[in-house]
Amino acid sequence: MITFDHVTKRYGATLALDDVSFEVPASSITGFLGPNGAGKTTAMRILLGHTRSSGRATIDGQQYAGISNPAGTVGALLDAQAVHPGRTGAETLAIAAAMIGVHRRRIGEVLDLAGLSVAESRRTVKGYSLGMRQRLGIAQALLGAPRALVLDEPANGLDPQGIRAIRDLLRAVADDGCAVLLSSHLLHEVAQLADRVVIIGRGRILDDTPVDHSTTQDLESRYFALTSTDDRSAA
């Protein structure tokens, strides 16, 4: 389970997160929605120990710094561009596997899960499209078979076929017991994938509700109504 418990973060005079609290249960997918600058990435960085805050952000009851086996507990993709461009995809995964103590056979498994072919994995990352980099980042996040996944815009740069493949992968991972938190601006995809949606605006949680998979209209209407009201109140 992923838990945010009264998390507040300031950058000088800017209140980036304002008393944020919500949960992502095991075996579920939570879509984290909000406009640019709403606080989504800041919240994820706090959860992963990259940024300090007041309040607590935990995975299975522990803050990231106290987790003895981080790679087996949480996998993350925050920036698909943060990969050495001169290495191949396979080399990138081999280095990551060695660092976390995972057998090299896991590399082939995660490449298959993420939809990267062996031939693609032998190419240098500088020749990858954004979608291929996203797939590589997802493969790396899965290396340790984590109990939680934190993904920032995982469908960015993917074509419709790739989006569907990642959607099927995340559903399977969640059904196997993983807690999945993903940010996205693709409301249609979130409506088809997520079990719950948390909407954030200007650092505040505006809504936390189950998703009706039968239609995206209610989700879209609620999202735009909440974020538009939040913008007006902050003006």
Side-chain angles (χ1 to χ4, degrees):
M1 176 183 290
I2 295 170
T3 303
F4 289 87
D5 187 11
H6 300 288
V7 174
T8 297
K9 176 63 180 179
R10 287 185 178 275
Y11 292 102
T14 301
L15 185 59
L17 294 177
D18 185 2
D19 197 30
V20 166
S21 295
F22 67 93
E23 294 182 347
V24 182
S27 303
S28 74
I29 300 172
T30 293
F32 199 22
L33 301 177
N36 290 337
K40 303 185 299 296
T41 300
T42 297
M44 289 178 163
R45 287 179 59 81
I46 289 169
L47 179 68
L48 297 170
H50 299 322
T51 303
R52 294 183 178 181
S53 69
S54 62
R56 284 173 57 85
T58 60
I59 304 157
D60 288 346
Q62 289 189 298
Q63 291 180 294
Y64 188 87
I67 297 173
S68 58
N69 177 25
T73 301
V74 57
L77 171 62
L78 295 187
D79 183 2
Q81 303 290 0
V83 183
H84 194 296
R87 295 191 180 115
T88 67
E91 288 169 343
T92 299
L93 294 177
I95 292 169
M99 290 177 64
I100 65 176
V102 171
H103 196 281
R104 288 181 63 91
R105 66 172 171 267
R106 179 64 176 163
I107 295 171
E109 294 172 359
V110 296
L111 283 170
D112 188 54
L113 287 171
L116 277 175
S117 69
V118 172
E120 289 170 332
S121 75
R122 291 172 178 166
R123 292 167 51 187
T124 56
V125 174
K126 64 184 177 184
Y128 278 18
S129 65
L130 175 56
M132 291 174 66
R133 289 182 185 229
Q134 291 289 97
R135 291 175 182 272
L136 180 62
I138 292 169
Q140 187 167 336
L142 292 171
L143 268 175
R147 299 190 300 274
L149 273 179
V150 180
L151 307 172
D152 196 0
E153 300 283 359
N156 207 13
L158 295 176
D159 59 23
Q161 183 178 359
I163 291 173
R164 180 170 183 174
I166 295 303
R167 185 173 69 210
D168 292 345
L169 168 61
L170 296 182
R171 184 73 267 167
V173 168
D175 289 345
D176 198 37
C178 193
V180 180
L181 174 64
L182 66 92
S183 76
S184 179
H185 64 279
L186 302 175
L187 298 181
H188 179 75
E189 290 304 320
V190 170
Q192 295 187 62
L193 176 62
D195 302 299
R196 298 190 67 82
V197 164
V198 173
I199 299 175
I200 187 171
R202 295 188 181 273
R204 294 180 288 116
I205 299 300
L206 305 176
D207 198 12
D208 181 353
T209 187
V211 173
D212 180 359
H213 294 274
S214 65
T215 178
T216 62
Q217 186 173 356
D218 289 344
L219 173 60
E220 291 175 350
S221 298
R222 189 163 66 249
Y223 173 83
F224 288 118
L226 287 167
T227 55
S228 296
T229 299
D230 184 61
D231 287 343
R232 286 196 300 270
S233 65

